[in-house]
Amino acid sequence: MKDNDWMDDDERRAARHRRRVHGQILAYLFLVLLIAIILGACFGVFTLVRRYLADQKAQEEQEVIAEVDDTPEEPVEEEPEEEVETGPTAEEQFDEYLTAYISDMTLEEKAAGLLIVTPEQLTGVSIATQGGSGTQAALEEYTVGGIVYSSQNIKSEEQFTEMIANTVSFSKYPLFIAVTEEGGDVSTVLNSAIEVSDVASNLEIGADGASGDAYTQGTTIGGYLSTLGINLDLAPVTEVTISEDAAISDRTYGSDAQTVGTLAAQMSQGLESQGVSSTLKSFPGTGDAASSTEDGAVSTDRDLTSYEENEFVAFQTAIDAGADFVMVSHITASNLSGSLDPVSMCESVVTDLLRDTLGFEGVIITEPMNYDAITDYYDLGDAVVSCLKAGCDMILMPSSVSEAVDAIVEAVEEGTLAEERINDSLLRIYRVKYADMLADFE
């Protein structure tokens, strides 16, 4: 064999080996490529599946949201706010104090506390001009709610102020010290020996219709009354003139109900600005009566509508201004009250109309109980108890202090008059007497 032939064989073997290696490399490359293609295809399929599942999930979530949106929302119950407990108001604390104060009184003291009497009725003298030992003894026996003076009790300013000061010092309980000071002719102090500033009468002020004049009337009168030690004025007249022939016509502010109410309110506020309680009088009105209850029985056939259009307008206006007292007349008004008794004895007038309809919350006081409209027809004790049952709080000028007190006590003990009824009246009375104390509870 030739050398080159051997070389050719070796080359051929080497070439074959290279081809095998090359083929193996190509096979491996193909295998790797195939695997890569398979893996890529699998990854693509996985990605598509995952995306499909994600889309399906998102669609399901949207459907759930849509269903929730279509469902009416159930109201969310708010938890009730916790109530913060607050203590009693100043007024409530004040009333609690006064109620306890009243509860310490004896029944006799309570009964006497409902009366405002003249010094003569209290002591039994013909004309009282000083507050001495007789006054002291009388006040120890009967703890009356107040004393009302007239011009006959006044000799001089010094004498009168000393008389009042002594009387107040003798009393176990605070007193209303009262006069009737309307301005004009019906004025206790103005028409006495004491020199005070003159003021126009109601008729004169009503003719002008100026409320400022009525307020000045009140502040002037209140000023000189408080200087003397007087804390209650049985004025202003709040009646409306229905007939020019009426006995009250020359003491009223006139015939226009709203004007009368406005002027009475101004006069009342003027008084009370000086520390003097005012008294709107006399409910429901005697503006068509030719005579006075002082001189005998007086009646009217006026009905509710007539009063609503006239006096009730005036009284409502003045009541809303904050008067402490309203006086109730002894006139008989059967078409209004449904009774032949004086309206002061009729619950339908005192409580149903004045207290409830007109909303008066202060002290209701009777006209003087020594007026002939009462003394000529009624036993004093029966009349006093009837007025209290009707809703009156205070009895003015009973002809006998002892008879009035005994009648009230007996009625309570017999159960014909509730002691709670008396306590309610005393609470209203002492709210006025101790009004300055209210600030201590605020």
Side-chain angles (χ1 to χ4, degrees):
M1 179 176 298
K2 295 179 179 178
D3 290 339
N4 58 344
D5 291 335
W6 181 84
M7 289 298 294
D8 289 339
D9 290 336
D10 288 339
E11 289 176 358
R12 283 193 295 271
R13 283 195 296 273
R16 283 195 299 272
H17 178 71
R18 285 195 297 272
R19 284 196 298 272
R20 283 197 299 271
V21 171
H22 182 70
Q24 288 175 347
I25 292 172
L26 290 175
Y28 287 140
L29 289 174
F30 178 76
L31 181 60
V32 170
L33 179 61
L34 182 61
I35 291 171
I37 291 171
I38 292 171
L39 290 175
C42 290
F43 180 78
V45 172
F46 174 76
T47 301
L48 291 173
V49 171
R50 187 176 66 174
R51 183 176 299 169
Y52 172 78
L53 293 175
D55 290 343
Q56 286 293 105
K57 184 177 180 181
Q59 185 177 352
E60 290 175 359
E61 290 177 350
Q62 290 296 325
E63 291 175 354
V64 170
I65 291 172
E67 290 178 2
V68 171
D69 289 342
D70 291 339
T71 303
E73 291 187 8
E74 294 185 6
V76 179
E77 293 186 4
E78 296 183 4
E79 294 187 8
E81 294 183 7
E82 185 176 348
E83 293 186 4
V84 179
E85 293 186 5
T86 57
T89 64
E91 288 79 5
E92 291 170 339
Q93 294 180 65
F94 184 43
D95 281 357
E96 287 177 7
Y97 170 81
L98 294 178
T99 299
Y101 181 83
I102 292 165
S103 68
D104 289 337
M105 296 179 181
T106 67
L107 180 56
E108 289 74 13
E109 288 175 334
K110 290 179 180 180
L114 303 179
L115 310 181
I116 294 182
V117 302
T118 68
E120 291 80 15
Q121 290 168 338
L122 178 67
T123 62
V125 302
S126 56
I127 297 179
T129 56
Q130 62 179 343
S133 58
T135 300
Q136 183 175 10
L139 284 172
E140 289 174 355
E141 184 175 7
Y142 296 110
T143 54
V144 295
I147 309 292
V148 55
Y149 296 97
S150 63
S151 297
Q152 68 177 6
N153 303 125
I154 305 173
K155 301 304 178 184
S156 68
E157 182 172 351
E158 182 181 3
Q159 164 268 329
F160 189 49
T161 54
E162 183 180 356
M163 181 183 186
I164 291 173
N166 288 344
T167 300
V168 169
S169 69
F170 295 147
S171 181
K172 180 178 180 180
Y173 300 107
L175 292 170
F176 286 125
I177 302 298
V179 294
T180 298
E181 201 78 9
E182 297 176 6
D185 293 338
V186 186
S187 298
T188 298
V189 177
L190 181 63
N191 297 315
S192 73
I194 299 176
E195 291 188 8
V196 295
S197 299
D198 197 1
V199 293
S201 68
N202 294 347
L203 200 60
E204 292 170 332
I205 293 174
D208 293 337
S211 60
D213 290 343
Y215 185 78
T216 301
Q217 178 191 36
T219 56
T220 302
I221 292 174
Y224 66 69
L225 292 185
S226 61
T227 299
L228 297 171
I230 295 165
N231 56 23
L232 173 61
D233 187 4
L234 301 177
V237 172
T238 314
E239 300 188 56
V240 178
T241 297
I242 304 300
S243 168
E244 293 298 331
D245 295 329
I248 196 70
S249 62
D250 61 346
R251 294 164 54 195
T252 76
Y253 287 110
S255 59
D256 180 76
Q258 189 58 62
T259 298
V260 170
T262 299
L263 296 177
Q266 290 289 330
M267 201 275 202
S268 174
Q269 290 176 326
L271 285 169
E272 299 197 4
S273 72
Q274 303 301 308
V276 177
S277 291
S278 62
T279 307
L280 310 178
K281 66 180 188 183
S282 291
F283 187 82
T286 61
D288 66 328
S291 59
S292 167
T293 54
E294 183 177 3
D295 302 318
V298 177
S299 64
T300 179
D301 59 1
R302 295 172 62 202
D303 60 12
L304 178 61
T305 300
S306 176
Y307 277 104
E308 285 178 334
E309 293 174 351
N310 293 282
E311 287 91 341
F312 286 13
V313 173
F315 275 95
Q316 187 70 77
T317 300
I319 285 170
D320 291 345
D324 287 335
F325 281 70
V326 169
M327 181 180 289
V328 178
S329 173
H330 294 316
I331 191 173
T332 297
S334 58
N335 289 333
L336 178 68
S337 67
S339 170
L340 294 177
D341 289 324
V343 295
S344 55
M345 300 181 188
C346 298
E347 183 178 359
S348 60
V349 173
V350 179
T351 297
D352 296 347
L353 291 177
L354 178 54
R355 187 72 78 193
D356 296 340
T357 301
L358 272 65
F360 180 63
E361 297 179 351
V363 179
I364 299 176
I365 187 170
T366 67
E367 274 191 322
M369 296 296 286
N370 62 356
Y371 276 8
D372 290 349
I374 299 298
T375 59
D376 288 353
Y377 304 95
Y378 296 90
D379 172 79
L380 175 62
D382 291 342
V384 166
V385 172
S386 294
C387 289
L388 294 176
K389 285 183 177 180
C392 295
D393 298 308
M394 300 201 82
I395 304 299
L396 179 61
M397 297 168 59
S399 54
S400 170
V401 176
S402 60
E403 285 184 35
V405 171
D406 290 346
I408 296 169
V409 171
E410 183 178 349
V412 173
E413 291 176 342
E414 292 180 350
T416 58
L417 179 65
E419 187 169 359
E420 289 76 11
R421 173 69 195 81
I422 294 176
N423 293 342
D424 288 343
S425 289
L426 288 169
L427 180 59
R428 283 187 279 269
I429 291 165
Y430 277 94
R431 281 177 185 153
V432 178
K433 287 185 173 182
Y434 282 136
D436 291 343
M437 285 184 60
L438 179 58
D440 296 337
F441 294 89
E442 296 177 343

